[in-house]
């Protein structure tokens, strides 16, 4: 009988797992040579003082993984182990874990929302009703998203954003980044004009899908159409309702110029990201570019429900002009939809029941009050500080004219427990754009509790005035 120099310990790891691990180690090291017959289940169980089922489970796992062979009426025999597996002295390749994000007392990043504002009761009630009343939602639905949801989204966009489209033109997907990746695939090989400064992840997604990016400068009215003409792009990516990060809103005149640029040459398109359009505090936002262009216009429209509901509810939509819809269906028509049908139908009922518009109205009021309180606190604690972006969106730009420099402001804030970013982080420096304004940082306030505003302002003042 083969020597089996190990013992099993009661408690902790299951006995069958201990036995399996010990036998694998001996098989890999060659202590149990290939072709050797292992002890019978009853004999080994008696030697180890365990149940026969424990040994049988370990043996069956080894058979399933190719370490042992079970021969009828003969027992279990060791199989040859591949040399690369048998060299147990070789260190395993080290895969570093993802770094844990640092913790901060105040988080002013721009991706957060106030989760306390989520409509838990209404959303939960609708989901519960669907779980009991709509078992068909366990099956596959439309690849572009359930039709009644697309109709509800289309109605909402027409009423509040001036979008002109049919439900057939709408594609529902798991977040705007996913849909942006699909849209980028429609323009593979093209050159896209992107805003400078702008959202860095947009460049990454476009580049990963074979679209070359060219930065185009931003002025007080948004993306410069003169610079756009010079760059030779056939696709223009803009955030006209609320440019990130400068908070500029593109006026109607500049929007008209942009649409004329697209109309001048077949094959030119505008990709409109309607970022933060629902959070305008001074007046109703201008209609979308897509609405100005019309149903057959050269505009791809993107919007998301992440900011208005919650980032983890990955529902966004894309509106495609008819000719691009044909291209989309040819390329992606076999793709399954990436959003749970229960989530789709919950949002559908949330929209059609009037809950969403009431929820947005409540959020606007709360965020507007929070922004005003934050602005007052900062202007009091930091005399001379300049704030931009009070009219719309969920972040402010703060400039400290006599500050220690942007990099130093970010560093000192971090040391004081405040997470924020400098404006220069959003410049790619591949455009003929004015230099980044000095001493300017971005303050996202959506997830900032009202009670923390005075302490935050005092903390920043002490950090930057020291």
């Amino acid at each position: 009988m083969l020597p089996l120099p190990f013992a099993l310990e009661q408690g902790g790891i299951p006995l069958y797992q201990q036995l399996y691990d010990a036998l694998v180690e001996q098989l890999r090291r060659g202590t149990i040579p290939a072709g050797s017959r292992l002890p019978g289940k009853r004999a080994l169980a008696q030697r180890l003082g365990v149940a026969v089922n424990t040994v049988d489970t370990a043996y069956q796992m080894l058979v399933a993984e190719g370490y042992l062979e079970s021969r009828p009426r003969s027992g279990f025999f060791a199989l040859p182990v591949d040399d690369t597996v048998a060299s147990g002295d070789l260190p395993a390749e080290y895969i570093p874990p993802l770094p844990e994000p640092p913790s901060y007392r105040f988080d002013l990043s721009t991706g957060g929302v106030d989760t306390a504002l989520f409509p838990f009761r209404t959303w939960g009630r609708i989901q519960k009703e669907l779980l009991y009343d709509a078992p068909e939602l366990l099956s596959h639905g439309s690849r572009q998203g359930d039709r009644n949801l697309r109709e509800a989204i289309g109605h909402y966009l027409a009423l509040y954003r001036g979008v002109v489209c049919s439900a057939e033109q709408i594609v529902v997907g798991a977040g705007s980044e996913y849909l942006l990746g699909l849209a980028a695939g429609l323009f593979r090989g093209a050159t896209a004009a992107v805003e400078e400064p702008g959202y860095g992840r947009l460049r990454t997604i476009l580049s990963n899908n074979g679209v070359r990016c060219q930065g185009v400068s931003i002025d007080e009215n948004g993306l410069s159409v003169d610079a756009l003409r010079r760059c030779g792009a056939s696709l223009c990516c803009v955030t006209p309702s609320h440019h990130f990060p400068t908070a500029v809103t593109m006026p109607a005149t500049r929007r008209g110029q942009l649409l004329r640029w697209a109309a001048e040459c077949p094959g030119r398109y505008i990709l409109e990201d309607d970022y933060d359009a629902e959070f305008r505090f001074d007046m109703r936002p201008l209609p979308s570019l897509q609405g100005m262009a019309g149903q057959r216009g050269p505009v791809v429209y993107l919007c998301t429900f992440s900011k208005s509901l919650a980032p983890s509810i990955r529902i966004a939509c894309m509106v495609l002009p008819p000719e691009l819809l044909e291209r989309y269906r040819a390329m992606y028509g076999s793709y399954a939809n990436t959003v749970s049908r229960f989530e789709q139908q919950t949002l559908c009922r949330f929209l059609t029941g009037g809950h969403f518009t009431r929820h947005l109205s409540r959020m606007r009021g709360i965020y507007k009050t929070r922004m005003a309180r934050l602005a007052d606190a900062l202007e009091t604690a930091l005399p001379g500080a300049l704030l931009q972006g009070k009219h719309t969106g969920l972040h402010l730009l703060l400039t400290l004219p006599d500050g220690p420099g942007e990099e130093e402001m970010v560093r000192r804030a971090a040391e004081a427990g405040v997470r924020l970013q400098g404006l220069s982080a959003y410049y790619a420096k591949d455009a003929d754009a004015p230099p980044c304004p000095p001493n300017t940082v971005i303050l996202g306030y959506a997830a900032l509790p009202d009670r923390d505003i005075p302490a935050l302002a005092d903390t920043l003042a002490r950090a930057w005035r020291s």
Side-chain angles (χ1 to χ4, degrees):
M1 181 176 289
L2 290 172
L4 297 171
F6 54 80
L8 306 183
E9 298 179 358
Q10 297 289 337
I13 300 174
L15 295 175
Y16 72 84
Q17 184 69 48
Q18 294 181 50
L19 177 57
Y20 164 85
D21 291 339
L23 290 173
V24 165
E25 181 67 18
Q26 294 198 23
L27 288 162
R28 285 182 172 179
R29 291 185 177 276
T31 306
I32 301 177
S36 301
R37 181 180 180 276
L38 271 72
K41 292 182 287 185
R42 293 184 182 279
L44 184 55
Q46 186 175 3
R47 287 179 60 187
L48 297 175
V50 298
V52 175
N53 282 343
T54 298
V55 178
D56 183 61
T57 300
Y59 276 9
Q60 296 303 330
M61 290 169 65
L62 292 166
V63 170
E65 295 186 11
Y67 288 106
L68 299 182
E69 177 186 21
S70 176
R71 300 177 187 174
R73 299 185 180 86
S74 298
F76 292 87
F77 293 81
L79 292 173
V81 180
D82 185 88
D83 290 341
T84 59
V85 176
S87 59
D89 296 330
L90 291 176
E93 182 179 356
Y94 175 68
I95 301 176
L98 288 172
E100 289 291 328
S103 59
Y104 294 91
R105 182 183 174 194
F106 306 104
D107 189 349
L108 301 183
S109 57
T110 57
V113 299
D114 190 341
T115 55
L117 300 181
F118 184 77
F120 293 99
R121 181 171 299 178
T122 305
W123 192 268
R125 175 180 56 79
I126 294 173
Q127 282 207 325
K128 185 176 180 180
E129 292 171 355
L130 289 168
L131 284 169
Y132 285 105
D133 300 340
E136 68 275 9
L137 297 182
L138 294 169
S139 303
H140 289 294
S142 169
R143 289 181 168 85
Q144 286 184 211
D146 286 356
R147 183 175 182 85
N148 61 345
L149 173 60
R150 289 185 280 127
E151 290 173 345
I153 290 174
H155 178 75
Y156 167 77
L157 293 178
L159 193 60
Y160 292 97
R161 300 300 302 121
V163 171
V164 183
C165 70
S166 68
E168 293 302 327
Q169 292 174 257
I170 297 175
V171 178
V172 174
S176 57
E177 293 176 4
Y178 168 75
L179 291 176
L180 179 59
L182 297 183
L186 304 178
F187 300 101
R188 190 177 301 275
T191 297
V194 297
E195 296 164 322
E196 173 79 353
Y199 184 52
R201 208 170 298 174
L202 168 67
R203 288 174 173 263
T204 301
I205 295 170
L206 291 173
S207 299
N208 287 347
N209 287 276
V211 178
R212 178 178 172 270
C213 295
Q214 175 61 50
V216 174
S217 61
I218 295 293
D219 60 26
E220 67 276 6
N221 291 318
L223 183 135
S224 167
V225 177
D226 290 337
L228 172 62
R229 294 183 191 281
R230 291 194 297 269
C231 81
S234 58
L235 175 65
C236 178
C237 303
V238 290
T239 51
S241 296
H242 179 233
H243 173 257
F244 183 83
T246 68
V248 167
T249 297
M250 184 180 288
T253 302
R254 179 64 59 85
R255 295 177 186 226
Q257 294 171 355
L258 190 56
L259 289 173
R260 283 195 293 276
W261 166 84
E264 287 170 359
C265 182
R268 285 181 178 175
Y269 290 93
I270 299 168
L271 196 154
E272 176 185 15
D273 184 349
D274 209 14
Y275 175 73
D276 269 3
E278 61 268 55
F279 297 114
R280 190 172 180 92
F281 305 130
D282 53 357
M283 64 183 69
R284 188 182 178 95
L286 289 171
S288 64
L289 272 170
Q290 194 277 348
M292 294 177 66
Q295 185 171 2
R296 305 191 69 84
V299 179
V300 176
Y301 176 90
L302 279 171
C303 74
T304 178
F305 293 90
S306 292
K307 283 290 187 72
S308 52
L309 288 171
S312 64
I313 297 180
R314 308 294 298 166
I315 304 181
C317 72
M318 174 169 64
V319 179
L320 293 168
E323 66 275 13
L324 287 184
L325 180 62
E326 293 180 13
R327 192 184 305 176
Y328 170 88
R329 287 176 172 172
M331 293 179 65
Y332 307 119
S334 61
Y335 282 27
N337 193 269
T338 51
V339 181
S340 157
R341 293 191 68 201
F342 284 102
E343 296 285 4
Q344 290 188 52
Q345 289 304 311
T346 303
L347 177 58
C348 182
R349 293 191 183 185
F350 199 70
L351 286 165
T352 57
H355 306 295
F356 186 65
T357 53
R358 290 192 293 271
H359 171 66
L360 272 184
S361 179
R362 174 172 173 259
M363 292 182 75
R364 283 193 203 99
I366 292 173
Y367 283 143
K368 181 178 180 180
T369 301
R370 183 172 301 168
M371 179 273 297
R373 288 175 178 169
L374 176 61
D376 288 344
L378 291 170
E379 288 168 348
T380 300
L382 294 162
L386 305 176
L387 294 176
Q388 302 173 62
K390 296 181 183 179
H391 63 292
T392 189
L394 299 177
H395 73 270
L396 296 172
L397 262 64
L398 183 148
T399 301
L400 207 57
D402 59 346
E406 178 198 300
E407 184 176 343
E408 185 70 7
M409 289 171 71
V410 173
R411 186 187 68 78
R412 291 189 191 179
E415 289 178 349
V418 183
R419 180 186 183 186
L420 49 77
Q421 277 194 297
L423 180 58
S424 66
Y426 296 92
Y427 281 78
K429 301 178 178 61
D430 64 347
D432 184 18
C436 176
N439 304 329
T440 302
V441 295
I442 302 170
L443 312 178
Y445 59 83
L448 178 67
D450 291 340
R451 64 180 181 276
D452 286 352
I453 289 175
L456 166 69
D458 180 64
T459 299
L460 290 178
R462 286 187 283 106
W464 291 340
R465 296 301 194 192
S466 61

